[in-house]
Amino acid sequence: METATDFDKLGLHRGQVVQELGWDDDADENLRQQVMDTVDGDLIEDADDAVDVVWLWLRGDDGDVADGLVDAIRDLSDDGFVILLTPKVGRPGTVDPSDLSEGAATAGMVLTSTHNVSDDWQAHKVVRPKGSRR
């Protein structure tokens, strides 16, 4: 039996539309490619319609977590989710875990899980609370 990797636990699958926000030179290109391979499509920057997933790169000096999440959910479908990527502890730009949970709550979202997805980045799955609508 094959064991799921942390990346597999993010909930990405073929056919999803993924909007990428916060890309910069330090973004993990192998991780980006893994997302594109999984959904069998390109990451989009500007959405014409609601997207299934927002892939948000966020570093400690990028600003407030809540502000980043509010921007991220602008184009998110009602049942979509955000994958918030932050540098791992000890890497430049690390975001304090308390800022993540507080920022999610302030944005009206819920932080559900955290996964190690690369050497330098961790992914936090952020969803709307059950029963809420946009």
Side-chain angles (χ1 to χ4, degrees), residues 44 46-51 75:
I44 63 169
D46 297 313
D48 294 327
D49 294 310
V51 299
D75 296 321

Side-chain angles (χ1 to χ4, degrees), residues 117-133:
V117 291
S118 78
D119 288 342
D120 294 321
W121 294 89
Q122 55 187 358
H124 314 276
K125 190 170 183 177
V126 185
V127 301
R128 286 192 175 93
K130 294 246 186 266
S132 73
R133 299 302 258 178

Side-chain angles (χ1 to χ4, degrees), residues 2-100:
E2 195 172 309
T3 304
T5 65
D6 272 5
F7 182 87
D8 295 333
K9 295 175 186 174
L10 295 177
L12 298 172
H13 57 81
R14 183 184 188 94
Q16 285 177 316
V17 176
V18 180
Q19 180 180 30
E20 180 182 39
L21 301 174
W23 179 92
D24 206 340
D25 292 341
D26 63 347
D28 186 314
E29 291 303 317
N30 291 328
L31 191 53
R32 294 178 77 242
Q33 188 61 52
Q34 192 173 1
V35 173
M36 290 185 280
D37 290 347
T38 300
V39 301
D40 195 28
D42 291 331
L43 300 173
I44 63 169
E45 185 176 341
D46 297 313
D48 294 327
D49 294 310
V51 299
D52 302 305
V53 179
V54 174
W55 189 261
L56 175 61
W57 302 94
L58 188 77
R59 301 141 197 95
D61 57 0
D62 286 345
D64 188 66
V65 173
D67 290 343
L69 288 171
V70 168
D71 289 344
I73 61 176
R74 185 171 290 127
D75 296 321
L76 190 64
S77 66
D78 287 339
D79 58 352
F81 57 91
V82 176
I83 300 296
L84 173 61
L85 293 114
T86 60
K88 286 184 176 178
V89 173
R91 309 301 195 282
T94 298
V95 178
D96 190 277
S98 65
D99 291 342
L100 294 172

